[in-house]
């Protein structure tokens, strides 16, 4: 039941860690491949869940401080293969009596060492299959993962507790390392799974098209870079409208100098391609986006509501009209955000005469 409880805790905590990991994962995938492969998502996130589960199995259940303070049990077991001696002495196993074999493997002295092997078996499988580690790297990685677990126990959960509440056992190091090595060999039977090279090749092939999520990610990444650039620009120069000037310097200046790229687009391997007159259309697009995403919702829209309120209309009609306009504005943008995620295009792309083009192949050729 203790192991089952640890698994439940890991599953409960997983969404929070996955949320923190998602943005860096998206950025790294678009930067490397230009797309996010579904199988890669499954592999990487399941690996995170596995590591969380293994970690919680090592530290849980947490005892009380008083219970740990009163412990007098040994903190370390440094005799290699002590688990073999314990198995022979503490179980009903008798090498001369085959009838005891089945009974012996049902006892805890057999299951605890077996669990330590199984604990790192998936680790070796992930290392060989996805991370393409050699047997030597897998062996050392499994050992150091086990050492991390054992030191976590020995330190009393990083000195939170007054002493260790679980035993530092050299046999665990041996068995965990063995588990990782067995996992390395065991993964060979999963030949039906595509290779890492095939996953990467398919991801780059998909990355030749700019998806809606990739385009949306570039927008938010460029906004982040723009804010940093604007803060630096404001600190260095004393202009009347520094945010506005820095906006055009960033989104127009960089786009012209970098031939359709900005720092955000360049990082995600994409650029803007215009039908004709790229400089003029870059400026026009920037003016339109500034009006549509900034001026209209933050200045014109509140001004419109103020005007409605000042007209001699019934309060019920004024409130109803205001709610209708807000809902219309929200639904309009929600519709096009969903459409953007599906098609990778917005309604103003064709009007302004531009499209997004992937540069992932240019990166691979360099």
């Amino acid at each position: 039941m203790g192991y089952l409880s640890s698994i439940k805790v890991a599953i409960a905590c997983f969404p929070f860690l996955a949320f923190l990991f998602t943005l860096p994962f998206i950025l790294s995938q678009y930067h490397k491949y230009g797309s996010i492969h579904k199988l890669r998502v499954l592999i990487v996130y399941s690996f995170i869940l596995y590591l969380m589960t293994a970690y919680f199995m090592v530290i849980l259940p947490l005892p009380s401080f008083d219970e740990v303070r009163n412990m007098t049990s040994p903190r370390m077991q440094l005799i290699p293969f002590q688990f073999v001696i314990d198995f022979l002495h503490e179980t009903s196993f008798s090498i001369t009596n085959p009838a005891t074999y089945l009974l012996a493997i049902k006892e805890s002295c057999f299951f605890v060492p077996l669990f330590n092997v199984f604990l790192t078996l998936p680790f070796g499988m992930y290392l060989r299959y996805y991370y393409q580690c050699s047997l030597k790297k897998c062996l050392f990685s499994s050992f150091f993962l086990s050492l991390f677990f054992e030191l976590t126990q020995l330190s009393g959960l990083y000195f939170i507790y007054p002493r260790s509440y679980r035993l530092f056992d050299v046999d665990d190091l041996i068995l965990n390392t063995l588990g990782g090595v067995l996992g390395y060999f065991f993964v060979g039977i999963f030949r039906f799974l595509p290779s890492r090279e095939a996953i990467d090749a398919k991801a780059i092939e998909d990355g030749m098209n700019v998806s809606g999520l990739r385009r949306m990610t570039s927008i938010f990444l460029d906004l982040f870079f723009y804010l940093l650039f604007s803060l630096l620009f404001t600190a260095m120069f004393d202009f009347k409208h520094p945010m506005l000037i820095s906006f055009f310097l960033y989104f127009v200046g960089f786009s012209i100098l970098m031939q359709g790229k900005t720092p955000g687009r360049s990082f995600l391997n994409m650029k803007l391609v215009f039908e004709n007159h790229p400089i003029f259309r870059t400026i026009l697009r920037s003016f339109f986006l500034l009006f549509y995403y900034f001026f209209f919702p933050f200045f014109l829209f509140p001004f419109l509501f103020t005007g409605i309120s000042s007209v001699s209309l019934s309060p019920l009609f004024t409130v109803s009209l205001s709610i209708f306009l807000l809902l219309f504005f929200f639904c309009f943008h929600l519709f096009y955000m969903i459409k953007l995620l599906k098609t990778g295009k917005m309604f103003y792309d064709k009007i302004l005469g531009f499209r997004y083009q992937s540069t992932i192949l240019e990166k691979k050729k360099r």
Side-chain angles (χ1 to χ4, degrees), residues 43 46-54 57 114-131 133 138 141-142 145 149 175-187 190:
I43 293 169
S46 65
F47 185 51
I48 294 173
L49 179 59
Y50 154 71
L51 288 176
M52 288 181 62
T53 304
M57 283 182 172
L114 187 64
F115 164 76
N116 280 300
V117 173
F118 283 150
L119 182 66
T120 51
L121 190 74
F123 187 67
M125 296 171 66
Y126 278 107
L127 289 186
R128 180 180 180 183
Y129 170 64
Y130 184 73
Y131 295 100
C133 291
C138 181
S141 298
S142 300
L145 177 67
F149 289 157
L175 293 168
N176 291 159
T177 304
L178 175 63
V181 172
L182 290 177
Y184 176 90
F185 290 108
F186 186 69
V187 78
F190 292 91

Side-chain angles (χ1 to χ4, degrees), residues 256-269:
I256 292 172
L257 291 173
M258 299 173 68
Q259 299 180 330
K261 298 177 184 178
T262 55
R265 290 181 217 140
S266 179
F267 184 81
L268 299 180
N269 299 297

Side-chain angles (χ1 to χ4, degrees), residues 8 17 30 47 82 130 208 213-214 254 281 309 340:
K8 289 179 179 178
L17 185 61
Y30 283 142
F47 185 51
Q82 179 65 38
Y130 184 73
M208 293 171 65
L213 180 60
R214 184 176 172 190
F254 278 125
R281 289 186 182 274
S309 303
L340 172 62

Side-chain angles (χ1 to χ4, degrees), residues 180-228:
V181 172
L182 290 177
Y184 176 90
F185 290 108
F186 186 69
V187 78
I189 68 174
F190 292 91
R191 295 182 180 180
F192 59 90
L193 292 173
S195 65
R196 172 65 185 272
E197 291 79 7
I199 294 174
D200 291 349
K202 185 63 171 64
I204 292 173
E205 180 184 341
D206 293 340
M208 293 171 65
N209 297 315
V210 178
S211 65
L213 180 60
R214 184 176 172 190
R215 174 173 172 174
M216 192 177 292
T217 304
S218 77
I219 292 170
F220 285 105
L221 186 60
D222 268 324
L223 283 175
F224 174 74
F225 287 152
Y226 157 68
L227 289 174
L228 295 180

Side-chain angles (χ1 to χ4, degrees), residues 208 210 214 269-273 355-359 362:
M208 293 171 65
V210 178
R214 184 176 172 190
N269 299 297
M270 53 193 288
K271 66 179 180 180
L272 285 178
V273 177
R355 61 184 174 85
Y356 281 90
Q357 178 178 303
S358 177
T359 60
E362 296 177 15

